[in-house]
Amino acid sequence: MLIQYEKGSSLLHRYDPLSKLVILFCTAVIAMLLDQAWQQAVFLLLCIGQARYAGHMSGRQLLGGIRLIAIVAVPYFILTSLTVQGETVWLQWGSVSVTIEALNAAGAMTLRMFTLFLTSMAYIITTDPRELVAELTRRLRVPYRFAFGISAALTFIPLLEEEGNHILAAQQVRGHRPPKGLGSRISYGLKFVSAVLLNALRRVQQTAGAMESKGFGAYPDRTYRTEVNMPSWAAVSAVIYVLATVWLWWIV
């Protein structure tokens, strides 16, 4: 599965979940502040390098994430390039014109999608959901029901991915051929998404029933078996990242 927590000893694995969460939030803010395509491209390369060398993510995982978000990002880039108005015409084809300003806006937004998705994927792969829940409830005093909801969401992502693979395998066993043509692809995609969502709702109902039968939420507090240590260097790096984000916000 592409998106799920994997144990490791990389630098990102040694970060505590809260420090990484602060850095992830600052990364999202920086991605929103940069409005030039070349700036977004440089920032995306930095994030990919961080995920590859600091998180030990494989090239297969990175390419899989890029391919997954490209399904949405590439059509958005094409649509934005054709609809955004500008003054400097780069390409003219009949009544359709593509301007430099439109390409810059479309490229910046598209690359921003890649950055946000890949950094979130790196956070999920290098963060133990149990540690995240423990830190949210102990350090931030978040109600454990809400914290468990976040943990459940991170857990459901690989389950949904597995459900999708099972659906594709079942269709291949039944002899279903790959769709051809735009209409067939759209119809196939809608049916596939509907099947995954129905299985997701079934799993949510099963989880809710199990939590209710075990009395989850009956008491104001609960005990934890997971002990999370916050390294001093991780907290310092998170503070530096926040200061850098504020400084960038100020100059931009």
Side-chain angles (χ1 to χ4, degrees):
M1 289 178 283
L2 179 64
I3 306 177
Q4 66 172 343
Y5 168 65
E6 297 179 0
K7 292 183 179 180
S9 58
S10 68
L11 179 62
L12 292 183
H13 282 88
R14 294 197 294 271
Y15 268 87
D16 66 285
L18 282 188
S19 298
K20 268 191 299 187
L21 189 61
V22 171
I23 294 176
L24 178 65
F25 178 76
C26 292
T27 301
V29 172
I30 293 175
M32 294 298 177
L33 292 175
L34 302 177
D35 57 355
Q36 298 295 321
W38 70 269
Q39 295 174 343
Q40 291 287 347
V42 173
F43 191 57
L44 175 60
L45 290 177
L46 291 175
C47 292
I48 292 176
Q50 185 182 38
R52 179 67 181 90
Y53 298 105
H56 291 176
M57 291 179 60
S58 64
R60 179 187 61 82
Q61 289 176 317
L62 293 173
L63 290 177
I66 292 174
R67 184 176 60 181
L68 189 61
I69 193 61
I71 298 175
V72 178
V74 173
Y76 179 86
F77 174 81
I78 297 174
L79 183 62
T80 306
S81 299
L82 297 176
T83 55
V84 172
Q85 300 297 323
E87 298 179 356
T88 308
V89 178
W90 178 72
L91 179 64
Q92 183 78 34
W93 186 34
S95 60
V96 178
S97 62
V98 179
T99 63
I100 298 296
E101 293 80 6
L103 289 175
N104 180 70
M109 190 63 191
T110 302
L111 293 172
R112 185 180 295 123
M113 290 182 184
F114 283 104
T115 300
L116 296 177
F117 182 82
L118 291 178
T119 52
S120 300
M121 187 175 73
Y123 182 83
I124 294 174
I125 291 176
T126 60
T127 305
D128 190 344
R130 295 174 300 179
E131 294 183 355
L132 176 60
V133 171
E135 282 213 336
L136 287 176
T137 54
R138 290 180 178 178
R139 299 186 186 276
L140 298 185
R141 302 300 179 183
V142 174
Y144 71 87
R145 300 173 185 84
F146 179 76
F148 182 81
I150 298 176
S151 175
L154 295 177
T155 305
F156 276 133
I157 291 176
L159 292 178
L160 292 180
E161 186 180 359
E162 186 178 5
E163 288 286 351
N165 294 331
H166 288 168
I167 292 172
L168 292 176
Q171 291 178 348
Q172 292 177 356
V173 170
R174 294 173 183 174
H176 290 188
R177 297 180 179 180
K180 296 181 179 180
L182 181 60
S184 299
R185 291 179 183 274
I186 293 176
S187 177
Y188 174 81
L190 292 176
K191 292 179 180 179
F192 178 77
V193 172
S194 299
V196 173
L197 290 179
L198 288 175
N199 286 331
L201 292 175
R202 177 175 55 83
R203 287 187 177 273
V204 168
Q205 290 176 348
Q206 292 175 350
T207 303
M211 292 168 60
E212 185 177 357
S213 63
K214 294 180 179 179
F216 186 84
Y219 301 96
D221 298 313
R222 61 176 299 176
T223 57
Y224 297 91
R225 293 167 48 186
T226 304
E227 292 290 340
V228 182
N229 296 322
M230 178 181 291
S232 58
W233 56 267
V236 170
S237 63
V239 172
I240 294 175
Y241 214 100
V242 171
L243 295 177
T245 304
V246 173
W247 175 77
L248 183 62
W249 194 331
W250 179 265
I251 65 173
V252 171

